[in-house]
Amino acid sequence: MTLLDVKDLHVTYGSGESAVPAVRGVSLQLAAGQKLGLAGESGCGKSTMALALLRLLPKNATMTGEILLDGEDVLTMRWGRLRAVRWAGASIVFQGAMHSLNAVHRIGDQITEPMLLHRTVTSQAAARKRAGELLEQVGLPASRLSAYPHELSGGQRQRVMIAMALACDPRLIVADEPTTALDVMIQAQILRLIEQLVAEKDISLLMISHDLAVLSDTCDRLAVMYAGRVVEEGPAREVFTGAQHPYSKALAAAFPTVGDLASRLAPRGLAGDPPDPARLPGGCTFHPRCEVALESCATDDQALRAFDDARRAACVHVGGGLAEAVPEQGAAHAEEAR
């Protein structure tokens, strides 16, 4: 059963000659209980996608297409219905917990607020009890309900954000770079916690990150975005270890192989930066940075095309011809990541 179905989503900031396209015709599906990763460099449209799913974008953003959540289009929902869907139907774990939590309110009050607002509990006492249970589920003692955000470490604040996301028993959680600001040990703990909770509660997860290794180890499927579009999609481990689009291959190859001194001293990166959304190049938007671009890539745009039953990529070389474009370091790193 499909829980989230995004169809031809376009998001543009501004209007007229100053309009900037941030998301350009993205279509994605997420089944109930499935985990989908969304990868790409900064500026590729990942966070705009996350905010668009619950219409959290600023007023200067224009959205077209469809975002079907349990069959209902988020883009056409009336305000009252949208307000009910947020938290209870789908919730978001934002990247910076300190910026998302209210510094002058105690943790307990912030966790109980959505429960009382959506009336998932019958009283303040019941909300308080449920908040304590949520904290314990994410590995914090219930006594921390009386703490202020500044009294918690970065990892503890991120656990609080996860507890808040679970407060109204949503069917979908969107995690936007939930571990970027954390050290690697705490990052691993938070990722395992998210995996455990998603499995236990049969929740669908959309996780956004620039780290393909994290997504391949956490998610069932993986979509790679570049310049506002999905350029490759498929089973997460297959995309990481055997990417077909040159951008996906470059992202995987950017991770040094643990134990391989040569790869640490000479890591394979990707020259340049993603294009300015206001001045996108013609043809395939990746062609100025692509090592295997053809002359036609400068003029011919590339749409996603299937090359087996479960995978798609937007490249003229799809299905072959890219094996030597970027060294295959993804597979070795994937094994180390496990």
Side-chain angles (χ1 to χ4, degrees):
M1 174 182 167
T2 300
L3 176 66
L4 176 68
D5 192 0
V6 179
K7 299 181 178 180
D8 194 29
L9 179 65
H10 291 256
V11 180
T12 303
Y13 294 107
S15 60
E17 294 183 359
S18 62
V20 177
V23 174
R24 304 182 301 128
V26 169
S27 295
L28 290 171
Q29 287 189 332
L30 180 60
Q34 190 179 52
K35 296 172 288 184
L36 173 66
L38 195 60
E41 296 169 282
S42 296
C44 287
K46 307 186 304 299
S47 292
T48 293
M49 272 287 300
L51 296 174
L53 296 180
L54 288 174
R55 276 171 49 189
L56 294 171
L57 293 168
K59 291 183 179 180
N60 70 332
T62 301
M63 294 181 285
T64 62
E66 291 181 300
I67 302 174
L68 302 180
L69 183 62
D70 257 341
E72 291 186 81
D73 191 353
V74 173
L75 299 187
T76 59
M77 284 180 183
R78 293 181 178 274
W79 169 243
R81 178 56 183 157
L82 179 63
R83 191 166 179 254
V85 165
R86 293 172 177 171
W87 291 101
S91 58
I92 296 183
V93 178
F94 292 104
Q95 179 175 352
M98 194 61 188
H99 301 296
S100 303
L101 295 171
N102 192 320
V104 299
H105 287 281
R106 298 181 188 274
I107 295 302
D109 296 333
Q110 298 186 60
I111 298 176
T112 58
E113 181 181 10
M115 289 188 277
L116 294 168
L117 180 66
H118 290 277
R119 299 178 182 178
T120 59
V121 291
T122 56
S123 66
Q124 179 73 48
R128 189 80 178 179
K129 179 181 178 182
R130 171 66 174 151
E133 293 171 352
L134 287 168
L135 278 192
E136 291 176 351
Q137 283 182 4
V138 299
L140 292 176
S143 60
R144 303 304 280 164
L145 288 172
S146 60
Y148 288 96
H150 71 271
E151 297 177 310
L152 304 177
S153 68
Q156 290 174 328
R157 287 194 292 266
Q158 203 64 48
R159 291 172 186 268
V160 170
M161 288 297 299
I162 295 170
M164 290 177 64
L166 295 170
C168 296
D169 295 318
R171 296 193 63 200
L172 169 66
I173 289 182
V174 180
D176 186 8
E177 303 266 12
T179 61
T180 298
L182 306 177
D183 64 69
V184 292
M185 294 297 291
I186 300 301
Q187 179 187 70
Q189 293 175 18
I190 295 297
L191 290 173
R192 295 289 83 80
L193 172 63
I194 292 174
E195 278 191 284
Q196 177 185 346
L197 292 172
V198 166
E200 288 177 355
K201 297 178 176 292
D202 196 28
I203 298 171
S204 296
L205 172 69
L206 176 63
M207 178 174 284
I208 297 170
S209 178
H210 62 276
D211 193 329
L212 263 69
V214 165
L215 294 178
S216 70
D217 198 40
T218 305
C219 299
D220 305 312
R221 294 186 61 80
L222 175 59
V224 179
M225 284 189 72
Y226 186 79
R229 284 185 176 177
V230 173
V231 296
E232 184 162 358
E233 181 188 4
R237 303 292 292 180
E238 293 181 25
V239 173
F240 183 53
T241 60
Q244 288 292 298
H245 194 283
Y247 178 62
S248 306
K249 293 178 78 73
L251 287 181
F255 294 94
T257 303
V258 176
D260 184 353
L261 182 60
S263 71
R264 292 182 60 192
L265 296 177
R268 283 298 301 263
L270 185 60
D273 298 301
D276 183 343
R279 291 184 291 275
L280 293 173
C284 172
T285 53
F286 184 63
H287 85 265
R289 305 172 72 189
C290 183
E291 296 180 356
V292 294
L294 305 178
E295 288 187 14
S296 61
C297 296
T299 55
D300 298 343
D301 200 357
Q302 299 296 323
L304 281 170
R305 59 174 67 90
F307 58 90
D308 65 28
D309 292 339
R311 298 184 62 182
R312 300 185 299 163
C315 180
V316 68
H317 298 289
V318 114
L322 293 180
E324 303 302 325
V326 181
E328 292 285 359
Q329 297 181 24
H333 185 80
E335 291 305 316
E336 295 292 345
R338 294 183 70 83

